[in-house]
Amino acid sequence: MMNEPRARHLMTTDVVTIPPDMPVADIARLLGDHAISAVPVVGEYGELLGLVTEADLVCRLAARLDQPPSWLASFFVSPARAAERYARTHGFTAEDIMTTDIVAVPPNMPASEIAATLERHGIRRVLVVEWDRLQGVVSRRDLLRAIDDAPPGPAIGDVSDDRIRRAVIATMHRLRWAASAQAVVEVHDGVVEFHGITPDRSIQRGLRVLAEQVHGVKGVADRTVILPPDLYSAG
């Protein structure tokens, strides 16, 4: 992780932003003109205030079909949540409709942690913020540069077959899915061979990738046999 590029190295700094008083109609046109799905809302001094997304605008459009809640239903709805939804679906400016619960990362966050953040929240890009000021945006496409710039793996040296075998088995024991495979590991001249049975091809692929990560491995030969789930569990 020490050699990973950080958010500050990957982020796009030329970010389209809008002021909090921009009208909703202008925001919709801006998103279309720039072919973007979200735009940060920043204050006079560059402070990040919120984010307006396509979803916010679509929600506003869908709200035209909202029916007033019944007396009984309104009794159970939080007045604060009801007021917030009303403001966001009927407001006229960015400040009215913007999302304030923003996923942001600091400039020194490593690429792997940024990728994990995107996956965890199911988003395509994340804002880079420092001292409440917007610094840039890192997208999934920006992260591809981290893969291109990744340092090569350790050079293959003279690692004994026994050491490789013990390393592969130790890794398998740490991973539940790998431990589920009834596979025997053999190593000959740096080539890892898997023998036995596995429940499906995904386990075979995982074992191959697992072995390839071990220092000194020159190749992987999967000689396991896939058995149907009923036969595998019976064994």
Side-chain angles (χ1 to χ4, degrees):
M1 185 176 295
M2 292 296 294
N3 295 326
E4 283 189 60
R6 309 280 168 157
R8 63 168 54 92
H9 305 132
L10 299 169
M11 66 185 184
T12 299
T13 56
D14 185 17
V15 182
V16 177
T17 63
I18 60 175
D21 60 351
M22 176 175 278
V24 169
D26 291 344
I27 299 172
R29 280 193 292 270
L30 182 143
L31 293 181
D33 291 344
H34 290 272
I36 54 179
S37 59
V39 61
V41 182
V42 298
E44 181 179 358
Y45 302 104
E47 67 274 23
L48 180 63
L49 302 177
L51 188 72
V52 176
T53 68
E54 287 179 334
D56 295 323
L57 298 178
V58 171
C59 180
R60 173 188 173 87
L61 185 62
R64 296 178 181 178
L65 299 179
D66 283 354
Q67 299 295 325
S70 66
W71 178 88
L72 183 60
S74 62
F75 182 78
F76 294 100
V77 176
S78 164
R81 289 186 69 179
E84 179 182 2
R85 173 173 171 77
Y86 184 87
R88 293 186 60 192
T89 56
H90 291 77
F92 293 103
T93 65
E95 187 174 21
D96 296 330
I97 69 170
M98 67 183 182
T99 299
T100 56
D101 185 14
I102 302 172
V103 179
V105 302
N108 64 341
M109 178 174 282
S112 60
E113 293 186 25
I114 299 173
T117 300
L118 296 181
E119 291 299 308
R120 184 166 58 251
H121 293 276
I123 54 180
R124 301 183 61 84
R125 61 188 56 81
V126 66
L127 302 181
V128 182
V129 177
E130 185 174 35
W131 302 110
D132 295 329
R133 300 293 192 272
L134 178 65
Q135 305 296 317
V137 175
V138 177
S139 68
R140 290 185 178 181
R141 179 169 297 179
D142 294 326
L143 286 175
L144 295 180
R145 298 196 343 249
I147 298 175
D148 292 339
D149 296 339
I156 297 177
D158 293 328
V159 182
S160 69
D161 288 346
D162 181 64
R163 185 173 180 178
I164 292 174
R165 179 178 178 275
R166 286 188 281 111
V168 171
I169 292 175
T171 304
M172 290 176 64
H173 286 167
R174 290 198 303 269
L175 301 171
R176 180 176 298 179
W177 63 263
S180 70
Q182 298 179 22
V184 176
V185 180
E186 296 181 1
V187 182
H188 303 286
D189 297 326
V191 177
V192 177
E193 296 182 3
F194 291 105
H195 301 269
I197 58 176
T198 50
D200 55 51
R201 293 193 181 279
S202 62
I203 300 296
Q204 288 182 328
R205 182 174 59 182
L207 289 175
R208 174 180 57 78
V209 173
L210 179 154
E212 290 172 344
Q213 307 304 305
V214 175
H215 177 57
V217 171
K218 299 176 182 178
V220 180
D222 186 349
R223 308 192 191 286
T224 60
V225 177
I226 296 176
L227 290 185
D230 53 343
L231 294 178
Y232 185 86
S233 59

